[in-house]
C-alpha cells in the first residue's frame, strides 16, 4: 500500500481538501488577520527559566507560547513542540516567547506532536539539546535525524517509552501530519507525560473527536493542555477545536485541571485574537468549571503538588 494512504485509513485523519467557501475565507484571513498584524509590535516579555527543579512530588509547567511548553519535575525536564520562530511563513508571531531558548534548564527529552512547521520547528530544535534525545510520531524521524539529537524515537499510537520514572505515551487526536502535501504518511498525536504520581497530557493539534474519553480511561490526568485557537480555519477544514469543544474534551478526559494553548501567538484562524480566551472562560463559567481552568501568560508557570492540588508561581 502506498505510504500516502496510511494516514487516510485513520478515522481521525482530517484530510487535505478545503471546504466550500475557502477562497472567501482566505481573502479575509490575509486581509484582516495577516496584513493588519505585520506592523504591530510584539507583546509580552522573554524571561529566564527557573533552573532549579521543583521538589519531589511537584510539577512545574511553563507556557513558552503557541504549543510550546516546558515541563519540570524533580528529576526530569521535558520540552514539548519548541518553537522560538518570529515568523510562521508569512504570519508574524504576535507575542514574544515566554522563555529564552539559550537559558533553559537541562532538558532530558524533547517531544514533537507532529510535523507541521509551527510544531516541528527545525531552527529551534537545532539549538535545543537533550540528554535522552527527541520523540516524534511514526514517520517523522527523518525530519529530525540531522538536527543534532543523539537518539530519535518514533512512536506509534499508544506506544510507551520509559526513562527511569518518566513515562511517555503517544495518544491519538483528530488532525493530520503531512509537512508537505505529498507526505501524508507522517503520523500525528499528543503525549501523556508521567513522572512519579503526576501526569500531564499535551493534546497536540486536534479537532474534537470521540477519542478523548478513551485517553482518560487509560490514564488519570492531572493537567490537560488543550488547544483552543485557529478553529475558524481559512480552509474550513475540521482540524482544530473551538473553546467549547476543548472544554467538552477536557471533561471527557476526566482531567483535574486544564491549561489552554494554541492561541495568542500566531494568528492562524479567522477568529479575533481575544475570542478564544473569552469563549473558554464563558463556557467554563456556564458549566461551573472556572476554578479548574488555568490561564497562563508566557513565561508564567503553574506548580502542581501532590494529589490534585495546585499553586501558581510567576516564573
Amino acid at each position: 500500500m502506498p505510504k500516502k494512504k496510511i494516514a487516510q485509513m485513520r478515522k481521525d485523519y482530517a484530510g487535505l481538501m478545503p471546504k466550500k467557501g475557502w477562497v472567501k475565507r482566505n481573502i479575509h484571513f490575509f486581509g484582516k488577520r495577516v496584513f493588519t498584524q505585520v506592523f504591530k509590535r510584539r507583546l509580552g516579555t522573554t524571561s529566564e527559566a527557573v533552573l532549579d527543579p521543583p521538589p519531589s512530588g511537584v510539577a512545574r509547567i511553563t507556557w513558552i507560547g503557541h504549543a510550546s511548553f516546558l515541563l519540570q519535575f524533580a528529576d526530569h525536564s521535558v520540552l514539548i513542540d519548541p518553537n522560538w520562530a518570529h515568523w510562521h511563513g508569512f504570519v508574524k508571531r504576535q507575542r514574544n516567547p515566554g522563555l529564552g531558548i539559550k537559558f533553559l534548564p537541562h532538558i532530558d527529552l524533547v517531544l514533537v506532536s507532529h510535523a507541521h512547521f509551527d510544531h516541528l520547528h527545525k531552527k529551534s530544535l537545532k539549538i535545543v539539546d537533550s540528554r535522552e534525545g527527541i520523540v516524534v510520531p511514526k514517520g517523522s524521524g527523518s525530519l529530525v535525524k540531522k538536527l543534532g539529537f543523539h537518539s530519535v524515537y518514533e512512536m506509534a499510537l499508544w506506544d510507551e517509552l520509559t526513562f527511569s520514572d518518566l513515562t511517555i505515551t503517544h495518544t491519538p487526536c483528530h488532525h493530520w501530519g503531512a509537512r508537505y502535501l505529498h507526505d501524508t504518511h507522517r503520523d500525528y498525536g499528543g503525549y501523556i507525560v508521567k513522572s512519579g504520581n503526576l501526569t500531564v497530557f499535551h493534546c497536540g493539534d486536534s479537532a474534537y473527536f470521540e477519542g478523548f474519553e478513551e485517553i482518560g480511561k487509560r490514564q488519570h490526568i492531572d493537567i490537560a493542555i488543550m488547544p483552543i485557537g485557529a478553529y475558524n480555519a481559512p480552509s474550513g477544514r475540521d482540524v482544530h477545536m473551538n473553546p467549547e469543544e476543548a472544554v467538552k474534551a477536557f471533561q471527557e478526559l476526566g482531567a483535574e485541571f486544564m491549561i489552554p494553548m494554541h492561541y495568542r501567538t500566531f494568528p492562524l484562524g479567522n477568529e479575533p485574537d481575544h475570542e478564544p480566551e473569552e469563549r473558554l472562560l464563558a463556557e467554563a463559567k456556564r458549566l461551573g468549571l472556572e476554578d479548574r481552568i488555568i490561564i497562563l501568560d508566557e513565561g508564567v508557570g503553574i506548580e502542581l503538588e501532590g494529589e490534585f492540588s495546585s499553586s501558581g508561581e510567576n516564573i
Side-chain angles (χ1 to χ4, degrees), residues 51-71:
L51 301 181
D52 293 334
S56 179
V58 174
R60 181 185 299 132
I61 302 173
T62 308
W63 189 30
I64 298 167
H66 198 50
S68 304
F69 280 82
L70 172 64
L71 310 183

Side-chain angles (χ1 to χ4, degrees), residues 3 15 34 57 78 93 96 130 150 223 234 264 275 278 297:
K3 281 186 174 181
V34 175
V78 178
R93 189 183 192 119
N96 289 306
S130 66
H150 68 83
I223 288 278
R264 289 189 193 170
E275 186 177 277
E278 291 178 356
D297 287 324

Side-chain angles (χ1 to χ4, degrees), residues 73-208:
F73 304 96
D75 300 314
H76 303 283
S77 291
V78 178
L79 196 59
I80 307 178
D81 283 356
N83 186 343
W84 273 262
H86 285 167
W87 291 83
H88 173 46
F90 45 75
V91 177
K92 182 181 179 180
R93 189 183 192 119
Q94 298 302 301
R95 296 184 64 85
N96 289 306
L99 299 178
I101 191 171
K102 296 183 179 179
F103 300 98
L104 296 174
H106 182 86
I107 302 299
D108 291 291
L109 195 65
V110 175
L111 308 179
V112 175
S113 62
H114 60 297
H116 291 173
F117 286 85
D118 56 324
H119 293 258
L120 195 160
H121 184 248
K122 288 188 175 183
K123 290 185 177 180
S124 297
L125 291 171
K126 284 181 179 179
I127 299 174
V128 173
D129 188 21
S130 66
R131 185 181 65 175
E132 300 290 353
I134 185 169
V135 175
V136 297
K138 190 174 181 181
S140 291
S142 61
L143 297 174
V144 300
K145 67 179 182 180
K146 295 182 179 180
L147 300 183
F149 296 96
H150 68 83
S151 296
V152 176
Y153 304 92
E154 290 193 11
M155 298 186 74
L157 291 183
W158 300 118
D159 279 355
E160 286 190 357
L161 286 173
T162 300
F163 305 90
S164 184
D165 72 335
L166 180 69
T167 301
I168 309 298
T169 305
H170 184 42
T171 58
C173 70
H174 184 96
H175 202 57
W176 57 302
R179 193 167 179 86
Y180 304 98
L181 291 179
H182 67 276
D183 60 350
T184 55
H185 65 283
R186 304 192 198 279
D187 210 343
Y188 49 95
Y191 294 102
I192 293 174
V193 182
K194 183 175 183 179
S195 181
N197 65 342
L198 293 167
T199 303
V200 180
F201 170 64
H202 187 286
C203 181
D205 267 359
S206 185
Y208 174 79

Side-chain angles (χ1 to χ4, degrees), residues 32-68:
K32 301 296 185 180
R33 298 289 289 146
V34 175
F35 293 147
T36 59
Q37 301 201 39
V38 168
F39 301 105
K40 287 185 178 180
R41 181 176 61 89
R42 288 190 184 91
L43 302 177
T45 59
T46 299
S47 306
E48 294 185 14
V50 174
L51 301 181
D52 293 334
S56 179
V58 174
R60 181 185 299 132
I61 302 173
T62 308
W63 189 30
I64 298 167
H66 198 50
S68 304

Side-chain angles (χ1 to χ4, degrees), residues 258-283:
M258 171 182 162
I259 295 174
M261 65 165 176
H262 206 272
Y263 71 114
R264 289 189 193 170
T265 311
F266 296 107
L268 300 178
N270 275 325
E271 71 275 1
D273 291 336
H274 59 83
E275 186 177 277
E277 185 173 322
E278 291 178 356
R279 285 176 57 172
L280 172 68
L281 293 176
E283 180 68 0

